[in-house]
Amino acid sequence: MSISQQDYENLLYSKLYECESQYQAYLAEHNEKLNFNAELNYMYKAVMSGVGIEGGFPYTPLESIVESFLKAAKLGLSLDPSEQFCFLRSQYDHSTGLYHTELGLGYKGVLHLAYRSGKVKQIVSNVFYNKDNFQFNGPNSKVTHTMTVLSTSARGNLAGGYCQTELVDGSFIVTVMPPEEILAIEEQGKSVGNPAWLSAHVNQMREKTLILRHWKTLYPAIYSSSLLDSAQIFDDECEEFPFSSPSQGFSESQTIGSY
């Protein structure tokens, strides 16, 4: 049935408050001290930002919203949009015919989890050009990358990128990406209107992409938790627009979803 915006707000608050004890228990597993009321407010604002937008969070089942809220606690990550650790999006499920809410990691969340493990000494992400001296020495050996000039225009065309982690035990984990894959993600970001891919910071966006790709190889080496197997990695274009769409106006009589 459809319900009013006010009734939906009350129901949303109620469902989120009901899981406080479980939320706090998950945080305790990571020795994290997040403010429950503040995190609930971040979630509430994110959900209500989709009012009036097709597929927005208020149109997803409340169960998936609560599940995403608890997943953030399981990861020990704040939903504070200024932190940019994790993000929400709504995704259409063809099997149910409904949208559902997903929680995913941004590159800052990946870095936070990596260093929190206590097993990571340093993570380096970089792109290289065809006039650079670059050598991939295998997935468990440090790359060789030197250049004779700093100007990217003098270094030739983009030839690829790499992200490497040095662990505290002195070993390395390395991920490389060919230029075709990097540029394909770049085009995807541009197609959804992400201005960062069109700015002077494009290489920083490429480096974020490399970090996210690297995480798929890195986390099994530093974490044993099965939770991370289901920790969604969002494409870079999502990171510039945490919690998706901007707020829309609504009237008191507007109804939201069916529950």
Side-chain angles (χ1 to χ4, degrees), residues 32-236:
E32 294 283 353
K33 293 179 173 60
L34 299 177
N35 184 298
F36 175 78
N37 289 328
E39 295 301 316
L40 184 151
N41 193 47
Y42 296 139
M43 192 71 178
Y44 166 79
K45 288 182 177 179
V47 172
M48 297 312 297
S49 71
V51 171
I53 299 173
E54 182 180 1
F57 301 128
Y59 301 90
T60 68
L62 279 170
E63 292 77 10
S64 72
I65 293 172
V66 172
E67 181 182 355
S68 294
F69 186 57
L70 289 175
K71 182 174 281 189
K74 288 180 183 179
L75 292 169
L77 296 178
S78 174
L79 287 164
D80 182 350
S82 68
E83 297 282 1
Q84 295 191 358
F85 286 156
C86 45
F87 302 87
L88 296 170
R89 70 179 176 192
S90 60
Q91 188 75 14
Y92 186 74
D93 187 339
H94 291 278
S95 64
T96 63
L98 298 171
Y99 284 92
H100 65 275
T101 299
E102 291 183 343
L103 179 99
L105 298 175
Y107 87 100
K108 289 185 179 180
V110 162
L111 293 176
H112 182 81
L113 290 174
Y115 285 110
R116 192 180 71 187
S117 72
K119 298 180 180 180
V120 170
K121 181 178 180 180
Q122 185 181 42
I123 298 175
V124 175
S125 176
N126 208 345
V127 295
F128 57 92
Y129 296 81
N130 58 16
K131 292 185 180 180
D132 292 355
N133 174 30
F134 176 81
Q135 183 174 332
F136 175 54
N137 300 309
N140 300 114
S141 299
K142 186 177 181 179
V143 303
T144 301
H145 182 204
T146 61
M147 63 198 81
T148 58
V149 294
L150 294 178
S151 171
T152 55
S153 61
R155 292 164 62 190
N157 295 323
L158 179 72
Y162 63 93
C163 185
Q164 71 177 11
T165 294
E166 181 181 1
L167 301 178
V168 294
D169 64 6
S171 61
F172 285 85
I173 299 174
V174 181
T175 300
V176 292
M177 284 181 69
E180 294 84 0
E181 290 187 41
I182 297 173
L183 292 173
I185 293 172
E186 182 176 332
E187 287 305 311
Q188 183 180 5
K190 292 177 181 177
S191 70
V192 298
N194 186 336
W197 282 110
L198 297 167
S199 72
H201 306 294
V202 64
N203 272 350
Q204 293 179 24
M205 296 299 291
R206 291 167 175 169
E207 290 163 9
K208 292 180 185 181
T209 296
L210 288 158
I211 292 169
L212 296 175
R213 174 67 63 86
H214 181 60
W215 178 243
K216 298 175 183 179
T217 303
L218 177 61
Y219 85 77
I222 61 175
Y223 279 104
S224 58
S225 172
S226 60
L227 171 67
L228 292 173
D229 291 332
S230 62
Q232 183 82 14
I233 301 294
F234 283 176
D235 294 333
D236 282 302

